[in-house]
Amino acid sequence: MADSYRVLIVDDDAEHAEMVSEFLKISGPFFVDWAENVSALWRRLEAKPYDIILLDYRMPDGNGLDALVEINRRKYTIPVIMVTGQGDERVAVRAIQLGAVDYLIKGSNNLFTLPAILQKAVRAHQLQLSVLHSLEQIRYQAMLLNNVSDAIVVWNTEGLITYWNPAAET
């Protein structure tokens, strides 16, 4: 697990971004940067890696849903939490469908739970990446075993055969 978390706040409301940034810095091991719009989001992501993004829904040069689509298109694998000033269930559902890990409404006492929400989202994302990496290793090992010309047979502790490769079948 990470000792600290790199957070990118994407919000056109400078006062809100500063308040969240300062709260996170005093609440835990957070290093926080701010992007004032969607264009700045791309510049920040190109400049350095982040562990999580707090993405405002409404911005002057786009919206959070469009940014989520573009994050996926550009193949960034960063958890995103959508934040908005006005709750809208349709936007929340669409944000989750597009890959946001959570949807928060500004000013609804989320500030005090935000550090835990961020840490949980980052840890879940790290776990997901670890599982994907393990599955890729298993696929690679299976491919190797299936292409070995020697017969390979695997038994479990009860003596039941659990795997055999094509050479063993032949």
Side-chain angles (χ1 to χ4, degrees):
M1 298 301 161
D3 293 329
S4 61
Y5 301 92
R6 298 165 310 223
V7 180
L8 178 59
I9 298 174
V10 185
D11 195 330
D12 62 327
D13 182 345
E15 289 179 9
H16 183 264
E18 185 175 350
M19 177 189 65
V20 171
S21 176
E22 291 303 316
F23 184 79
L24 288 174
K25 287 176 184 177
I26 64 171
S27 296
F30 296 100
F31 294 100
V32 183
D33 285 330
W34 173 55
E36 66 276 5
N37 55 39
V38 176
S39 299
L41 162 67
W42 307 127
R43 288 192 302 274
R44 290 284 189 173
L45 288 177
E46 289 171 8
K48 65 181 177 179
Y50 291 94
D51 296 309
I52 193 159
I53 299 171
L54 282 174
L55 178 64
D56 190 20
Y57 173 64
R58 294 188 197 278
M59 287 174 284
D61 61 343
N63 69 49
L65 295 178
D66 294 337
L68 278 170
V69 169
E70 189 64 16
I71 286 169
N72 292 328
R73 190 190 71 72
R74 294 185 186 202
K75 302 205 183 313
Y76 286 109
T77 57
I78 306 168
V80 176
I81 295 177
M82 180 77 72
V83 182
T84 184
Q86 302 136 7
D88 182 336
E89 291 84 13
R90 290 171 294 184
V91 173
V93 168
R94 189 70 185 130
I96 299 299
Q97 288 172 336
L98 291 173
V101 296
D102 209 339
Y103 179 88
L104 304 175
I105 299 171
K106 291 180 184 178
S108 62
N109 293 329
N110 288 328
L111 192 58
F112 298 108
T113 59
L114 187 59
I117 291 169
L118 293 176
Q119 289 174 335
K120 180 180 174 185
V122 171
R123 288 179 181 154
H125 181 70
Q126 290 169 339
L127 181 60
Q128 182 182 27
L129 291 178
S130 177
V131 167
L132 290 174
H133 178 71
S134 295
L135 288 174
E136 188 57 36
Q137 285 182 317
I138 290 168
R139 280 197 244 0
Y140 178 72
Q141 291 169 350
M143 186 266 312
L144 286 176
L145 290 174
N146 283 334
N147 290 306
V148 171
S149 58
D150 293 332
I152 298 174
V153 179
V154 178
W155 287 268
N156 68 14
T157 56
E158 286 85 40
L160 296 174
I161 295 174
T162 59
Y163 172 83
W164 63 91
N165 70 347
E169 188 172 332
T170 302

